[in-house]
Amino acid sequence: FQEASVVKYWRSCRRAFGPEAWDAAPQPVQDVLVSNCYNRGTSMTGDKRAEFRDIRDVHLPAKNWLAVADAIERSKRHWPPERFG
């Protein structure tokens, strides 16, 4: 898993979020984004991907790591707790 899947998703994230901004992100930021991409994919289209577009277009280029965390937190809107009751 570590040598195949993680590497695959890391590369996919780097392409999806843009190499320059991705490479500037600290390892913990990259790690959480790889985890999200592993679970949700790297698509940037549609309403459910608005937070990922914000991360790609605004927060990573600005190196605003707290805003990345906030955008991920906001993406929980797609999984309201009552769905998993």
Side-chain angles (χ1 to χ4, degrees), residues 8-41:
K8 173 187 169 185
Y9 283 94
W10 186 91
R11 288 179 179 150
S12 295
C13 283
R14 189 172 186 264
R15 279 191 303 276
F17 289 104
E20 187 175 320
W22 180 263
D23 291 347
Q27 190 65 51
V29 172
Q30 291 180 6
D31 292 346
V32 74
L33 290 173
V34 168
S35 176
N36 269 267
C37 289
Y38 177 80
N39 288 292
R40 296 185 61 205

Side-chain angles (χ1 to χ4, degrees), residues 3 6 8 13 15 20 28-30 32 35 40 43 45-46 48 50-51 62-63 65 71-74 76 80:
E3 294 173 8
V6 172
K8 173 187 169 185
C13 283
R15 279 191 303 276
E20 187 175 320
V29 172
Q30 291 180 6
V32 74
S35 176
R40 296 185 61 205
S43 174
T45 60
K48 290 185 175 187
E51 294 85 6
K63 298 180 179 163
W65 317 129
I72 292 168
E73 182 71 25
R74 285 192 323 272
K76 289 181 181 180

Side-chain angles (χ1 to χ4, degrees), residues 33-85:
L33 290 173
V34 168
S35 176
N36 269 267
C37 289
Y38 177 80
N39 288 292
R40 296 185 61 205
T42 58
S43 174
M44 296 287 173
T45 60
D47 178 59
K48 290 185 175 187
R49 306 311 286 206
E51 294 85 6
F52 266 28
R53 288 191 303 273
D54 288 345
I55 291 168
R56 179 194 65 196
D57 299 339
V58 180
H59 309 316
L60 283 181
K63 298 180 179 163
N64 188 341
W65 317 129
L66 292 176
V68 171
D70 184 56
I72 292 168
E73 182 71 25
R74 285 192 323 272
S75 74
K76 289 181 181 180
R77 67 188 168 97
H78 305 296
W79 299 278
E82 60 272 9
R83 283 186 55 194
F84 302 99

